Amino acid sequence: MSGIFITGTSSNVGKTVITTCLTYAFQRRQVNAVPYKPVQCGAITDGAEWLAPDVELYRKVYTSKDNEQLNSFLYEPRFSPHLAARLANNPIDPQVIKRNYHALQETHDLVLVEGAGGLAVPLIDEQYGTPELIIELDIPIIIVTHATVGTLNATTLTAHYAQSKGLNIKGIIINGYPDNPTEGIKHNPAMIEKVTGIPVIGIVPQVENVEARIGEEEVLEELIRGIDLDKLYG
């Protein structure tokens, strides 16, 4: 296996934090891992330059090499990719994504591909979305979900949708797990496994201002402590 696709139950569930953490964790294990964001909506600016904010977070743990494409399509509005691409008159081309993915694959042990939004997001139209891209890349997925109320429903729906598309799910990572969880939150990991039939391979703690602090080694160590890397890359 040379690639893993990181998807989530929704936007803002913490896919970028998890992708950054996994990049750090695998590198720490001497696995030459690289993060890759094929499609980014919600560009930020640095002077006249547009930047992909998720890639900028990756850079806190990963130094890219010359000519490495860590992002293929970048759009200014934070809209669904198919709409952002249409408004920009710059359609998403899966062949470009596949070329960039394979280029990274040739020079790294593992490519960590982060999706845009949730799993059911369309990339071109109703016929071609994130699942179709994953099938073309021929890689397994992990599902990132949140720890709080609603996670059972969101995680189960995402898992069943992925299975209906024939995707290979390696496991589920619960992000933002609080220091003092309620009884309901404590119950969620075991019940997620029961209702989906998929293992929870990581419970990542809630860290205040995590994106600002993710470059700190002690924060990274705290975040990755509860992830079973062997179940992802054995």
Side-chain angles (χ1 to χ4, degrees), residues 111-128:
V111 185
L112 298 167
V113 185
E114 183 191 348
L119 182 60
V121 166
L123 298 177
I124 298 175
D125 53 26
E126 70 279 6
Q127 300 297 323
Y128 193 100

Side-chain angles (χ1 to χ4, degrees), residues 172-185:
I172 294 165
I173 293 178
I174 299 174
N175 186 39
Y177 199 84
D179 289 337
N180 298 298
T182 64
E183 285 303 313
I185 290 176

